[in-house]
Amino acid sequence: MSESPDLTTLRLLGGRLCLDFVNTIDGGYDQPQRDWLASYADLVAWSRHAGALDAPAAATLHKAGAQRPDAAAKALAAAVALRAALYRIFRAVSDAQPPPAAALATLNLALADAGSYACLVPVAGGFAWGWTPATDRLDRVLWPVVRSAAELLPAPDLARVRECAGDSCAWLFVDTSRNGSRRWCDMQDCGNKAKARRHYQRRNGSRIMPSD
């Protein structure tokens, strides 16, 4: 098993782990230009990159996935289904619409499964959430993503979830701007492209600037 060589360059702009997970599709879910999660190894590598797994856990899962390809394929399919459900839920939120029932049901099933392995572990100065050992579960790589979604949905920050307004971009993010007016996942990328497009259209009348 081998992951995409440049996967660790994928920007983490969502502001929450669950949104960064949704943002592993480029170009929107209707006509995706690239899927960063083409294999189970990609899923593990992204989780390590996003901070959802530490190095030892990532190495263990990478090895287990190579040894159990059928289980790895099943875990990847579960990840893709969860990602699509999260996109539909949070896109509906950004549009001030109720989430699709099927998408919410998918998340709730994943939450019930992950919750059965949740536990409290002692840390310096108190306790933190952790997970009980589950060496046979290759899909445990998804549990931190599920928890992130479950924490964001009832939180005040939910009202600040946005979908990028850039052309050919459907990335989601939490708008942390002071006045809540952020429109793009990244001003240096989608924001600058939109400004360049407007400038081109002003200079060239009604002609449309070609898409990238």
Side-chain angles (χ1 to χ4, degrees):
M1 296 173 63
S2 61
E3 66 272 4
S4 303
D6 59 348
L7 190 141
T8 56
T9 67
L10 179 63
R11 293 168 303 161
L12 305 173
L13 303 174
R16 295 292 187 278
L17 181 67
C18 57
L19 301 184
D20 285 328
F21 181 63
V22 170
N23 295 345
T24 53
I25 285 279
D26 284 343
Y29 276 68
D30 295 332
Q31 294 181 320
Q33 298 171 358
R34 179 175 186 178
D35 187 340
W36 289 80
L37 304 183
S39 69
Y40 181 74
D42 288 343
L43 177 61
V44 174
W46 174 84
S47 298
R48 175 69 182 125
H49 171 55
L53 291 175
D54 59 23
T60 296
L61 285 170
H62 192 282
K63 181 178 179 180
Q67 294 173 338
R68 300 163 55 200
D70 289 345
K74 186 176 180 179
L76 178 63
V80 170
L82 175 64
R83 182 180 60 180
L86 291 177
Y87 172 71
R88 294 187 180 101
I89 291 169
F90 286 110
R91 184 181 184 184
V93 166
S94 72
D95 291 338
Q97 298 294 322
L104 191 58
T106 296
L107 174 58
N108 277 326
L109 284 173
L111 179 60
D113 182 38
S116 65
Y117 291 91
C119 65
L120 289 168
V121 295
V123 295
F127 294 85
W129 284 109
W131 307 102
T132 58
T135 56
D136 61 326
R137 294 291 302 268
L138 297 190
D139 61 346
R140 71 184 188 274
V141 69
L142 300 175
W143 295 346
V145 172
V146 173
R147 175 179 289 165
S148 171
E151 290 173 347
L152 177 56
L153 283 168
D157 280 350
L158 182 66
R160 285 181 168 259
V161 171
R162 308 279 188 266
E163 183 174 24
C164 182
D167 290 339
S168 301
C169 184
W171 278 20
L172 299 172
F173 61 91
V174 174
D175 179 5
T176 57
S177 64
R178 181 171 298 180
N179 60 3
S181 61
R182 180 177 160 194
R183 298 183 59 203
W184 300 286
C185 61
D186 184 6
M187 182 61 198
Q188 300 305 313
D189 189 349
C190 290
N192 282 342
K193 288 178 181 177
K195 291 173 68 176
R197 192 176 302 277
R198 289 196 301 269
H199 178 70
Y200 179 91
Q201 291 172 356
R202 283 196 299 267
R203 291 188 59 184
N204 295 275
S206 59
R207 285 184 293 172
I208 303 300
M209 181 177 177
S211 299
D212 297 328

